[in-house]
Amino acid sequence: MNAANLSLASSLVSSAYIQQGQQALAARSKLVTSLLSQRRMPVHGWDDATIEMLLQDIASMDSNNFLDNVGVGEREARVACSLVAKRHYRLAHGMGRSGDVAAEQPKAAGSSLLVKLTNILTKHALLMAGMLEVEAVTVLPVATGMAVTLTLLAMKAARPKTAHYVLWPRIDQQTCLKAVVSAGLEPIVIQNLLLGDQLSTDMEAIVAQVEKLGAANIVCVVSTTSCFAPRGADKVVEIAKLCSNAGIGHIINNAYGVQSAALCKLITSASRKGRVDAVVQSTDKNFMVPVGGAVIAAGPNSSLVEAVNKNYPGRASLSPLLDLLMTLLHWGQQGWERVLHDREELFTYAKQQLDQVAAELGEKVLNTPANPISLAVTLTRLHPARENCVEQVGAKHVSFFGSMLFKRSVSGTRVVARGITKQVAGIDFEGFGAHCNAYPHDYLTVAAAVGTSQEEILTFVAKLRQCYSDLQRHHS
């Protein structure tokens, strides 16, 4: 209600009571004013009523919700089911225009405002997490793999016409490789180095490929930060320096790395010391929202984010941005800081618990200091003695352990057995799952990821211990 309406209301209800209500409305209105003027995450998280008030006001600014609107076009944000309309807060115009997915929509001032706010608050969240060289940010309604493809297409357009190679330090996760192929580019797989337990970037191999193929024929290097142990984060600072000197692009796949202070610091250092054209990350893996969104960020010297927005074909769904905006307002700065802090502590706690159970079982937690999120525990004693079994039999034996955990409601673990071959995007991989051809251990991975609780870690460890013992007894 505005001041005039409240004045009229005071003739119906005691003015003292109306004044109290007016103060409550003013307090919420002040929060919105602060958000629009400061353009940062609020210090304290908002309650649900305030978030919904903002969304209702924003929706009321879109033409499909005008009281006197007459829509005679083919796309007028018509929604047949009232449940669908409620689910989306009556925001049905989506985002962008055919020429630019980040462009303002004449018929949807509210939705356009929501897009701008989401990008602004997401940038602030990245800065708070430690990505200090972020300048341009776009949140798109596609998951990480497709966001990498869109980024590669924009990068390809900025490179010489002869450029069609992408140098890709091996990570045994299919999405990124498919993203390269989907962009019409040819991946050059760079095998990792095994240093102790950890797999690390082979910089000499990357340099050799640049010299062999020629910089003019290379679109970029796609490096990786967050990944499954025992692979560590790529040497993104060294890669950034190489790309800067060679004049080739550099895209960082930071899928779930926002939650790690160490990885954010690494990306910041790479941006300051070399070339980083874009950093791609998932919304669901970092911000605990439903699957379907990605954040593409770039520093002050890169125009790639703008190019991605302009290359995006047509309008796009607003839903992932709505989810992210609501979550960031719900957390506020204090809530986001607490989420990040708790995740860092959880990693230490999870490693302690896994070290203990691994010692009990005669196994070990692999030493992977360059991976601050994923942990790996060997399963060597589950693999039948080499002289008594065929390799495939041992692999199936170890893989069955993963099935046992899943049937006991444990999700998210990856059991990796030796001797697995797989073809991905037309490329054959030996030892697939382990990021190298012949890793010396069978193992399982556990992610100390954002949102995981200590209680979940304890329950997992108990089920791990029980399944391990049961499987050993069964095959003894």
Side-chain angles (χ1 to χ4, degrees):
M1 285 191 181
N2 58 28
N5 288 338
L6 287 167
S7 178
L8 291 172
S10 65
S11 66
L12 300 172
V13 178
S14 171
S15 59
Y17 300 155
I18 293 297
Q19 186 176 16
Q20 187 179 37
Q22 183 177 13
Q23 291 171 351
L25 290 172
R28 285 198 163 92
S29 179
K30 186 177 179 181
L31 291 174
V32 176
T33 300
S34 177
L35 175 68
L36 295 173
S37 60
Q38 296 183 11
R39 301 179 185 183
R40 299 166 64 85
M41 292 172 65
V43 175
H44 305 286
W46 288 9
D47 67 336
D48 291 351
T50 305
I51 295 173
E52 290 190 317
M53 181 192 74
L54 173 66
L55 296 179
Q56 288 165 0
D57 284 349
I58 285 176
S60 296
M61 297 167 64
D62 283 2
S63 63
N64 61 301
N65 298 313
F66 293 174
L67 292 177
D68 58 352
N69 185 66
V70 178
V72 294
E74 79 289 347
R75 189 192 61 80
E76 296 295 333
R78 303 179 181 96
V79 180
C81 177
S82 61
L83 290 175
V84 174
K86 289 178 182 178
R87 175 178 176 245
H88 295 277
Y89 288 89
R90 295 177 290 115
L91 292 161
H93 276 286
M95 61 182 288
R97 306 184 72 181
S98 57
D100 188 335
V101 76
E104 298 173 359
Q105 293 190 66
K107 292 190 289 187
S111 292
S112 300
L113 175 61
L114 190 149
V115 172
K116 294 291 179 65
L117 285 175
T118 303
N119 289 335
I120 288 169
L121 297 195
T122 302
K123 176 182 175 181
H124 187 204
L126 296 180
L127 292 170
M128 288 181 62
M131 292 175 61
L132 304 182
E133 289 297 310
V134 171
E135 182 62 35
V137 168
T138 187
V139 182
L140 295 178
V142 294
T144 313
M146 188 57 70
V148 172
T149 296
L150 293 171
T151 307
L152 285 168
L153 287 169
M155 173 65 75
K156 179 183 178 182
R159 298 289 294 144
K161 291 184 178 181
T162 57
H164 65 283
Y165 293 114
V166 171
L167 305 187
W168 180 70
R170 177 175 171 177
I171 172 172
D172 286 0
Q173 200 272 347
Q174 298 184 51
T175 299
C176 190
L177 188 58
K178 290 181 178 179
V180 175
V181 175
S182 296
L185 301 171
E186 183 177 343
I188 302 298
V189 180
I190 308 295
Q191 295 293 342
N192 298 306
L193 294 174
L194 180 59
L195 304 175
D197 292 335
Q198 182 170 266
L199 291 156
S200 184
T201 315
D202 188 342
M203 286 303 303
E204 290 185 4
I206 296 178
V207 172
Q209 287 293 343
V210 172
E211 293 175 350
K212 175 184 176 182
L213 300 173
N217 298 317
I218 299 172
V219 174
C220 65
V221 177
V222 175
S223 61
T224 303
T225 49
S226 56
C227 53
F228 302 121
R231 191 190 193 278
D234 276 323
K235 298 176 181 178
V236 294
V237 176
E238 294 182 37
I239 293 173
K241 291 178 180 178
L242 171 64
C243 291
S244 178
N245 292 332
I248 59 178
H250 182 200
I251 296 171
I252 298 178
N253 177 9
N254 188 46
Y256 48 99
V258 177
Q259 60 194 278
S260 167
L263 295 182
C264 289
K265 183 178 180 181
L266 195 64
I267 292 168
T268 297
S269 181
S271 299
R272 289 174 174 173
K273 297 178 181 180
R275 176 170 176 171
V276 176
D277 294 272
V279 186
V280 182
Q281 39 268 308
S282 162
T283 55
D284 62 280
K285 292 177 181 176
N286 293 292
F287 299 105
M288 291 192 281
V289 294
V291 172
V295 180
I296 304 175
N301 298 321
S302 175
S303 59
L304 202 56
V305 166
E306 181 182 2
V308 170
N309 286 336
K310 290 184 180 298
N311 285 352
Y312 194 100
R315 293 170 175 80
S317 170
L318 195 65
S319 294
L321 284 80
L322 177 61
D323 294 338
L324 184 53
L325 177 64
M326 294 170 71
T327 301
L328 295 177
L329 291 174
H330 163 76
W331 276 334
Q333 295 181 40
Q334 290 185 348
W336 178 228
E337 287 175 346
R338 183 173 59 253
V339 166
L340 294 173
H341 175 267
D342 289 350
R343 207 244 23 120
E344 297 287 346
E345 288 199 335
L346 182 81
F347 180 83
T348 302
Y349 180 80
K351 188 175 187 308
Q352 291 172 348
Q353 294 297 318
L354 290 173
D355 278 332
Q356 181 178 331
V357 72
E360 292 175 16
L361 301 174
E363 303 287 0
K364 70 171 184 175
V365 175
L366 294 169
N367 183 28
T368 55
N371 195 322
I373 298 175
S374 180
L375 295 158
V377 180
T378 63
L379 299 174
T380 305
R381 295 180 65 210
L382 288 183
H383 200 125
R386 290 305 216 216
E387 61 272 15
N388 296 327
C389 77
V390 179
E391 181 66 40
Q392 289 86 344
V393 174
K396 290 181 180 178
H397 184 74
V398 173
S399 298
F400 182 69
F401 182 64
S403 300
M404 292 178 67
L405 289 170
F406 185 74
K407 289 180 180 178
R408 287 158 180 79
S409 300
V410 174
S411 61
T413 58
R414 296 175 71 251
V415 172
V416 179
R418 287 167 285 178
I420 302 298
T421 59
K422 189 178 183 67
Q423 186 178 91
V424 181
I427 301 174
D428 293 321
F429 290 91
E430 295 181 20
F432 188 82
H435 315 292
C436 69
N437 291 340
Y439 195 74
H441 300 286
D442 305 308
Y443 62 88
L444 69 81
T445 64
V446 177
V450 62
T452 308
S453 67
Q454 290 188 0
E455 291 76 14
E456 286 176 306
I457 295 296
L458 283 176
T459 301
F460 165 70
V461 166
K463 292 185 177 184
L464 169 64
R465 183 185 291 111
Q466 185 63 53
C467 288
Y468 193 99
S469 300
D470 289 348
L471 189 57
Q472 276 198 318
R473 282 197 302 270
H474 180 71
H475 289 281
S476 62

